Amino acid sequence: GKTVTSPLSLFKVVYCKRKVHCYTPKPCYRKKLCPKSRGRDMANKENELACAGNLPAKLHNSRTHLLNSSDSGSSQTEGPSSKYSAFFSEVSQDHETMAQVLFSRNLRLNVALTFWRRRSISELVAYLVRIQDLGVVVDCLPVLTNSLQEEKPYVSVGCCVDLLPLVKSLLKSKYEEYVIVGLNWLQAVIKRWWSELSAHTEKAEDGNIHILKQQLSVLWEQENHLTLVPGYTGNIAKVIQFWLCSVI
């Protein structure tokens, strides 16, 4: 006589579906809820819609604030940049000239390197004498100095006679590096042909040696003050003077 209630009739499953609207600034979700909580959820929904409606205006105001702040920053940095523009233009006005000088020097060094690779030392010396570029001479002369120290046969006395006027210009330079390069070359020349220079012969086949000796004598009468220079320059000048005193 008892009524049996099935457990399945005591529970009711409620499914909630959500739809996403991609066109609003802030995503809003629409829920399908039970009738008991409809009033409270509808109020929340109205509040969300009201906030979403005010969002574009807030974004516009913040964007305007950022733009104004960036404009004010650019106006503050525009003053110093215009202030130093004259300074930078003055510093860079000689850059183009320097680039042209270095480009021309590089071309001349490539030509000199071509003569050196072919072992055409006479053509290399003639090229250096023709261009009269002391910068290129300073770059090439150490290679010839090493060849003289190693007593290479392709560096002749005639080449040294032709190079001596350029070396004289190096010794008169205001750059100590140029002077040192010239003194090193003079020392190598004297050491290479020391036996011929100190033989005191006047034979026809020693014509270049005789010319070289005269050139060294005239050169050192004008440049013997280099022995008074302190440091390496003065020391090597004293060595050259000691050797030339026994030759001249």
Side-chain angles (χ1 to χ4, degrees):
K2 295 181 180 180
T3 304
V4 179
T5 305
S6 176
L8 298 177
S9 62
L10 298 178
F11 300 94
K12 182 177 181 180
V13 180
V14 180
Y15 295 92
C16 298
K17 297 183 180 180
R18 299 179 179 180
K19 294 183 180 180
V20 179
H21 296 271
C22 301
Y23 297 100
T24 57
K26 183 178 180 180
C28 296
Y29 301 96
R30 184 174 298 174
K31 298 180 181 180
K32 186 177 180 181
L33 302 175
C34 299
K36 294 180 181 181
S37 59
R38 181 177 179 181
R40 183 181 60 185
D41 293 333
M42 288 299 293
N44 292 335
K45 177 181 176 183
E46 292 176 357
N47 292 332
E48 291 178 359
L49 291 176
C51 293
N54 295 330
L55 185 61
K58 293 180 179 180
L59 291 176
H60 178 72
N61 294 332
S62 63
R63 184 178 179 184
T64 305
H65 174 71
L66 291 175
L67 289 176
N68 293 332
S69 62
S70 63
D71 292 341
S72 61
S74 63
S75 63
Q76 292 177 359
T77 57
E78 186 178 0
S81 63
S82 61
K83 178 180 179 181
Y84 293 108
S85 60
F87 170 75
F88 286 113
S89 61
E90 182 179 357
V91 170
S92 61
Q93 65 181 356
D94 295 332
H95 286 186
E96 184 177 358
T97 303
M98 181 59 67
Q100 293 176 357
V101 170
L102 294 177
F103 179 76
S104 176
R105 184 170 180 178
N106 185 48
L107 290 179
R108 293 178 176 180
L109 286 175
N110 288 332
V111 175
L113 180 61
T114 302
F115 291 134
W116 174 256
R117 287 175 176 174
R118 294 189 306 188
R119 290 296 184 267
S120 302
I121 306 302
S122 59
E123 295 182 5
L124 173 60
V125 173
Y127 175 71
L128 295 178
V129 173
R130 184 171 67 254
I131 63 176
Q132 293 290 317
D133 190 339
L134 295 183
V136 179
V137 173
V138 169
D139 291 334
C140 296
L141 208 59
V143 180
L144 299 177
T145 302
N146 293 334
S147 300
L148 290 170
Q149 293 173 349
E150 297 173 0
E151 297 186 358
K152 299 295 184 181
Y154 43 79
V155 182
S156 62
V157 182
C159 293
C160 296
V161 171
D162 294 336
L163 277 175
L164 205 56
L166 291 176
V167 175
K168 182 178 180 180
S169 299
L170 292 180
L171 297 181
K172 294 181 178 298
S173 175
K174 61 181 180 180
Y175 303 111
E176 187 176 9
E177 180 185 358
Y178 287 21
V179 177
I180 292 176
V181 170
L183 290 175
N184 288 333
W185 182 84
L186 279 178
Q187 184 181 16
V189 169
I190 296 172
K191 184 178 179 180
R192 172 66 178 84
W193 284 286
W194 171 253
S195 58
E196 290 84 355
L197 291 172
S198 59
H200 300 287
T201 58
E202 300 293 339
K203 297 180 181 179
E205 59 267 22
D206 298 328
N208 287 328
I209 293 294
H210 181 66
I211 296 173
L212 180 61
K213 185 185 297 186
Q214 290 180 347
Q215 288 180 334
L216 290 174
S217 176
V218 174
L219 173 64
W220 204 248
E221 287 179 359
Q222 300 174 355
E223 306 301 332
N224 55 9
H225 64 276
L226 293 175
T227 57
L228 303 177
V229 178
Y232 177 81
T233 303
N235 293 334
I236 191 174
K238 291 176 183 177
V239 173
I240 294 174
Q241 185 177 16
F242 175 78
W243 285 8
L244 289 179
C245 288
S246 60
V247 172
I248 300 172

